[in-house]
Amino acid sequence: MTYRAVGSGTGQYEFIGEQNGFVPYNDFGAGDIPISTADYNKLVVDNNKEIIHVPFVIGAVNFFHSVSGFDVEDDEAGLNLSACTLAKIFKREIKTWNHEEIVKENPQMAGISQDIHVVHRMNGSSSTASITKFMAEACPDHWPADLVGKKITWPEDTYDADGSNQMAEKIRDLPGAIGYLDVGHGHAEALNEIRIENKAGVYLSSKEAKIKGGIGAPVLGALPSTADADHGEVDVLNEDGEITFPIVLVSYIYVRKDLSHLRTSTEKTLLKLFLKQLVNPDIIKTCEEFGFSGVPEGVVTNALNGIESLNTTGGPEWVYETVATTIKGAGAGDYVISEKRRTYGEYEREVSREYIHLLQESVFTEATMESEAPQKLEPESTGSGNAALVVSIVSIVIALVSLLYTHCKLSGLKENTVTFASNHKEVEAL
């Protein structure tokens, strides 16, 4: 299976295939926004191309900043912003961090005259669609409906970001920057999250809301009862509730009911197994470390019914073998995806991660001991200076390796399109 992180806008374009006679360019698509009603009607009503939405995780998008000294981990020091203040910032009506409207919500900002640098996504993205819709719903007087969408026209004195990775880089590297990301990515990059005001007037970060159960709450009852229905009007933004986070997203897989565009019947049944595992609570709970939650039980039932409606006639049945359940005999055969099967490369990566963790603990312990040790009055020797330099270099290398690993893990949840490898043995090895 191969993966392209191209954004929800491109993913939907390739899934719909309007410029290709409504034949999809990809095998299936994924994104954090549903197919719009207009595109659904083009596919289903006008061209008889039935589709299903498979909701599989719930996440959040939020604003992040690089104003020093206002880390959201400290609730008292966190930067608070309402939807109207955010709207004025992104329209460039507010250009400095000590503007009176920001200071009204954050008195501690009065002495910070730093300029605000606004960063936005360049191409169509679900995060842009979500934050613009949130601002329009929560503050329509300052963010009009014509500025809502996956891709909009931004003021000229703002910064483009091509994808989530570049967004994170620009927020981090531009002093006084503000931008937006899915919260799992923002937290992995150690960016400062803004506490935004919800509909009840409570300022919350996504971490605070998740602890209180306010991320998944808006999804209950918001989705259609069948997977093949139009999901274009699904809206879980800016819902009521003191603990409710206002910018919540549902991640979907988009699938054609008619899978004749796939190369073989084997791929059709493999896709079916893959989709079932995406709504398996035991599988999807691994996403929690990145800030995502599984969908409610009722949504899982509807998704499974939709998956069963896919036309996979003639394909072999694939089986999933878990660590806890050994399938004797058949588990060693074809058409089996097994948690027990690993390549040597996977084993090496696991060992490397354990070594990195041990090195991190060792460096942290030594750094702590040095900081707590009594300071010498005489200059340090060249040997101890070299040792400190070595420790610093090791720390940097470990940090870079850890960041690379985090990026690799996160890439599996980014907005994307997916294409199967043509050989099932190759897929099984993955």
Side-chain angles (χ1 to χ4, degrees):
M1 191 162 62
T2 60
Y3 158 88
R4 289 171 61 233
V6 295
S8 291
T10 300
Q12 289 194 356
Y13 173 91
E14 294 180 350
F15 174 75
I16 294 164
E18 184 173 359
Q19 306 305 316
N20 195 36
F22 290 98
V23 176
Y25 295 93
N26 50 28
D27 292 339
F28 59 93
D32 296 327
I33 48 176
I35 300 294
S36 70
T37 297
D39 286 331
Y40 178 87
N41 288 336
K42 286 179 185 178
L43 279 168
V44 179
V45 179
D46 300 338
N47 289 278
N48 197 31
K49 306 289 187 182
E50 292 186 286
I51 65 171
I52 64 170
H53 284 75
V54 180
F56 63 103
V57 288
I58 304 166
V61 169
N62 201 8
F63 301 88
F64 292 83
H65 71 89
S66 59
V67 182
S68 60
F70 297 91
D71 191 341
V72 78
E73 299 298 335
D74 181 352
D75 291 345
E76 296 301 319
L79 183 56
N80 300 325
L81 293 176
S82 66
C84 288
T85 304
L86 286 163
K88 293 174 185 177
I89 289 172
F90 276 81
K91 285 178 69 178
R92 303 300 286 144
E93 294 172 5
I94 293 177
K95 295 188 176 184
T96 60
W97 283 111
N98 64 348
H99 188 280
E100 60 181 356
E101 293 196 34
I102 294 178
V103 173
K104 191 183 301 182
E105 296 176 277
N106 305 272
Q108 70 273 40
M109 299 292 284
I112 299 181
S113 58
Q114 199 169 29
D115 290 337
I116 299 174
H117 299 294
V118 170
V119 187
H120 61 82
R121 288 287 291 272
M122 184 169 64
N123 298 313
S125 82
S126 57
S127 54
T128 300
S130 300
I131 65 107
T132 56
K133 190 173 183 180
F134 160 68
M135 290 189 290
E137 289 187 5
C139 191
D141 291 342
H142 294 282
W143 197 269
D146 61 0
L147 287 179
V148 174
K150 292 179 285 189
K151 185 177 182 179
I152 68 168
T153 301
W154 296 94
E156 289 185 2
D157 59 339
T158 56
Y159 293 81
D160 292 339
D162 187 6
S164 297
N165 289 339
Q166 194 174 97
M167 171 68 80
E169 290 170 5
K170 290 192 174 184
I171 295 173
R172 183 176 56 246
D173 298 339
L174 283 169
I178 183 172
Y180 52 90
L181 280 164
D182 68 85
V183 297
H185 196 163
H187 296 157
E189 296 282 356
L191 299 176
N192 289 332
E193 185 181 7
I194 290 171
R195 302 171 77 234
I196 57 176
E197 186 181 25
N198 66 12
K199 198 170 184 177
V202 178
Y203 291 96
L204 284 172
S205 71
S206 63
K207 287 184 177 180
E208 293 174 276
K210 183 173 174 54
I211 291 171
K212 298 174 182 178
I215 299 291
V219 177
L220 294 173
L223 295 169
S225 59
T226 60
D228 59 359
D230 175 16
H231 283 58
E233 298 303 316
V234 172
D235 184 1
V236 292
L237 295 174
N238 203 35
E239 294 294 300
D240 290 321
E242 290 192 359
I243 64 169
T244 299
F245 192 72
I247 313 179
V248 174
L249 295 180
V250 180
S251 293
Y252 303 90
I253 300 290
Y254 323 120
V255 191
R256 298 289 187 95
K257 275 192 175 183
D258 178 5
L259 299 175
S260 58
H261 60 283
L262 296 183
R263 290 165 289 277
T264 67
S265 58
T266 300
E267 290 181 354
K268 296 177 185 178
T269 49
L270 176 57
L271 173 57
K272 191 173 182 178
L273 175 68
F274 173 74
L275 295 173
K276 286 182 176 179
Q277 295 308 309
L278 275 182
V279 293
N280 182 335
D282 293 332
I283 299 295
I284 211 67
K285 68 183 179 183
T286 59
C287 299
E288 291 180 358
E289 63 180 293
F290 304 115
F292 294 90
S293 305
V295 294
E297 185 177 347
V299 176
V300 171
T301 301
N302 294 336
L304 288 172
N305 289 336
I307 294 166
E308 289 299 330
S309 73
L310 300 177
N311 182 4
T312 57
T313 304
E317 182 180 357
W318 286 79
V319 178
Y320 191 87
E321 181 182 48
T322 67
V323 170
T325 306
T326 300
I327 304 173
K328 293 184 178 180
D334 291 337
Y335 314 116
V336 177
I337 303 293
S338 176
E339 291 182 0
K340 296 175 180 290
R341 189 185 301 279
R342 293 200 300 172
T343 65
Y344 185 68
E346 289 176 307
Y347 167 75
E348 284 188 315
R349 287 192 291 274
E350 183 176 318
V351 171
S352 296
R353 287 195 293 270
E354 292 175 358
Y355 282 142
I356 289 170
H357 179 67
L358 290 173
L359 282 169
Q360 286 175 318
E361 287 189 339
S362 175
V363 170
F364 176 77
T365 300
E366 186 163 343
T368 302
M369 290 174 63
E370 286 185 0
S371 66
E372 293 177 351
Q375 298 296 312
K376 298 179 181 179
L377 295 177
E378 68 274 9
E380 291 185 348
S381 67
T382 303
S384 63
N386 288 340
L389 178 61
V390 170
V391 169
S392 299
I393 292 172
V394 170
S395 301
I396 293 170
V397 171
I398 290 172
L400 289 173
V401 172
S402 301
L403 182 59
L404 177 61
Y405 171 63
T406 301
H407 274 307
C408 292
K409 292 262 306 189
L410 279 173
S411 67
L413 286 171
K414 294 295 167 196
E415 309 152 340
N416 64 87
T417 61
V418 187
T419 305
F420 280 125
S422 60
N423 185 308
H424 75 271
K425 287 292 187 183
E426 181 182 349
V427 175
E428 185 179 66
L430 295 174

